[in-house]
Amino acid sequence: MSFLFRTKSAPAMEERSTFSLPQLTVAMSAADGGAPATSSIEEACRDAATWACLHIKAKNIASLPVDQVRYTGTGRNKRRVEVPKSAVIRRPSATVPSLRYWVYQAAWSMFADGNTFGLVADVDSMARPSQIDLIAPEDVTERSVKYGVPRARVKGMGVVEVFPFGPLWHMPGEVVAPGSPFGLSPIGYGSRVTGTALAAERFGGQFFTRGGHPTGVLTVPGQPTAEQSKDLLAWLMNKDKREPLVLPQGTTYETIQIDPKDSQFIELMRFTVEQTCRRHGVPPSMVYAAVSGQSVTYANVSQADLAFLKHTLSYPIDLIEDALSALVPAPQVIKFNRDAILEGDPEQRERILDIQLKNRTRTVNEVRALRDEDPFEGPEFDAPGIPGDAVAEPAQQQLAL
């Protein structure tokens, strides 16, 4: 017997029940072999939570100011000196207009695939890459190591070795398995969660367009033949929905009732959002999603930003700094200004700058530069602290944020 038809057995009282849509969907797709899985980064990015997590992390890193510096002295006499940016930092690729776009693409690839790949388009006088055109990680397949040299098949190029043995530039991501130079893909390992989220969203859309589920169950006496079942179903489908339904003797029709909340998989979709945020290390509030039983608020934003920087962004920023530092002359290095993530409201920023001036950790002209104001003339305004002020007492030098 099909799902839509069943034989009436001995007379009995049949209770009318309300079906849960998730239970019904599982029953109808039990033969699929488990939860669906996404097959590509592009498909996974159709999930709103996945897209938001990748974007919020890549955007925050790309928005940070980048400096090329070198350090002089040692110990307490160690000083940081800014130097002119190398060509690879000013314009790392001919295909994007600035370093900001390049860093965004590099971070996006790292967080999605676990690796960032590019093709070395030019080198400097010391054979260091001076221009790297990033490529989609999905165009880099069959990744392996042969004779100690990482290599991969690049779309349209065949098998290419990693620089300096070949033109393929590679920056591994956060998680690198032992014995391999390539990073593990967060989206690949989270494909079932993302696939479930997409399947629930797709089913929710079909619920309003194509029904997404059987509308009811016909119960007939005896064992109808295939032809009788077909005729009865055709007669029922051709009936005007507004007319009263008159059924043959002994035949009953039961509507499958759907809980309105289940029609859109609200709880399931909320759960997959939480799982996606957990996998990418992004607080749900940052992608405007509420955790079960909680609401999205803006309380303790500074603490949330600090935790996000410390536990999610700090390590990948280190990796990008190391990769870019290898492209500039030693002992120069590339540093991201992480304080930009922690910018508070105007009142809090002014209070912090005031404390830094009193503690002699900033100069007046540095503060004016942060406010996009013209500098004061005179060497005293380029010295740490407020000109004419006495050195602050140790008790006053504690910065409490």
Side-chain angles (χ1 to χ4, degrees):
M1 298 298 294
S2 70
F3 182 78
L4 292 175
F5 293 88
R6 64 188 181 202
T7 302
K8 179 178 289 185
S9 56
M13 293 297 295
E14 183 174 345
E15 296 183 357
R16 188 178 182 84
S17 59
T18 301
F19 290 81
S20 166
L21 186 57
Q23 294 174 346
L24 182 59
T25 307
V26 171
M28 295 176 63
S29 59
D32 289 346
T38 52
S39 58
S40 68
I41 294 175
E42 181 179 359
E43 183 183 3
C45 287
R46 298 180 188 277
D47 172 49
T50 299
W51 177 281
C53 287
L54 295 177
H55 175 64
I56 196 71
K57 293 198 294 183
K59 178 187 71 172
N60 272 279
I61 293 179
S63 65
L64 297 178
V66 179
D67 297 317
Q68 186 169 335
V69 303
R70 60 182 175 85
Y71 292 93
T72 63
T74 58
R76 299 182 62 180
N77 295 321
K78 188 174 183 179
R79 296 289 184 270
R80 167 174 158 157
V81 180
E82 291 191 22
V83 298
K85 291 184 174 66
S86 301
V88 70
I89 303 302
R90 294 195 308 270
R91 185 73 182 272
S93 171
T95 60
V96 293
S98 66
L99 176 67
R100 195 180 302 275
Y101 287 98
W102 192 92
V103 171
Y104 183 97
Q105 292 179 349
W108 178 284
S109 294
M110 175 190 291
F111 296 135
D113 180 78
N115 300 273
T116 300
F117 294 99
L119 294 175
V120 178
D122 198 5
V123 296
D124 61 16
S125 58
M126 299 300 293
R128 288 184 298 259
S130 60
Q131 202 166 67
I132 302 172
D133 298 329
L134 299 181
I135 56 179
E138 290 187 299
D139 291 341
V140 183
T141 59
E142 299 180 26
R143 305 166 191 176
S144 62
V145 178
K146 186 173 183 180
Y147 305 125
V149 179
R151 58 193 311 198
R153 182 175 297 278
V154 179
K155 184 178 180 180
M157 296 183 62
V159 177
V160 180
E161 294 182 332
V162 170
F163 189 85
F165 302 97
L168 183 62
W169 184 80
H170 173 230
M171 177 176 66
E174 299 175 81
V175 182
V176 179
S180 171
F182 300 104
L184 302 181
S185 170
I187 282 185
Y189 277 86
S191 61
R192 290 199 177 275
V193 173
T194 309
T196 300
L198 291 173
E201 183 179 348
R202 191 178 305 116
F203 190 91
Q206 292 174 349
F207 179 83
F208 293 103
T209 57
R210 294 186 295 175
H213 66 94
T215 58
V217 177
L218 277 173
T219 302
V220 299
Q223 182 73 23
T225 64
E227 190 67 24
Q228 290 173 330
S229 300
K230 182 178 179 180
D231 291 343
L232 184 58
L233 182 59
W235 171 81
L236 181 63
M237 296 298 293
N238 291 329
K239 287 287 292 181
D240 189 330
K241 301 296 188 296
R242 297 179 180 273
E243 294 180 359
L245 184 62
V246 181
L247 296 173
Q249 184 178 4
T251 302
T252 61
Y253 178 77
E254 179 183 4
T255 301
I256 295 179
Q257 297 184 20
I258 301 298
D259 188 330
K261 293 186 301 182
D262 288 340
S263 68
Q264 288 294 289
F265 283 150
I266 298 300
E267 293 301 324
L268 175 61
M269 294 178 73
R270 181 179 291 116
F271 172 74
T272 57
V273 169
E274 294 175 13
Q275 288 288 80
T276 300
C277 289
R278 183 177 297 114
R279 179 173 293 277
H280 289 279
V282 176
S285 60
M286 285 193 172
V287 296
Y288 305 100
V291 179
S292 300
Q294 300 179 4
S295 60
V296 179
T297 66
Y298 293 91
N300 300 320
V301 173
S302 298
Q303 289 84 350
D305 288 345
L306 179 59
F308 182 55
L309 172 63
K310 179 179 179 181
H311 299 294
T312 301
L313 297 184
S314 183
Y315 181 48
I317 289 175
D318 288 341
L319 296 178
I320 297 175
E321 285 178 341
D322 291 345
L324 292 178
S325 295
L327 306 178
V328 300
Q332 299 175 14
V333 294
I334 301 301
K335 302 299 291 184
F336 285 78
N337 183 0
R338 307 179 192 212
D339 290 343
I341 295 179
L342 304 178
E343 282 188 354
D345 56 73
E347 181 181 356
Q348 185 183 36
R349 287 200 301 271
E350 289 300 316
R351 183 168 60 87
I352 293 174
L353 291 174
D354 182 61
I355 294 175
Q356 291 175 335
L357 283 172
K358 291 178 179 178
N359 290 346
R360 296 178 178 265
T361 58
R362 275 196 188 275
T363 69
V364 171
N365 281 338
E366 285 177 342
V367 172
R368 293 185 63 81
L370 292 174
R371 297 171 179 163
D372 291 328
E373 298 173 344
D374 294 333
F376 289 144
E377 295 184 1
E380 67 273 18
F381 298 108
D382 292 317
I386 302 174
D389 275 8
V391 178
E393 294 298 327
Q396 296 178 310
Q397 296 182 6
Q398 296 180 0
L399 181 59
L401 301 181

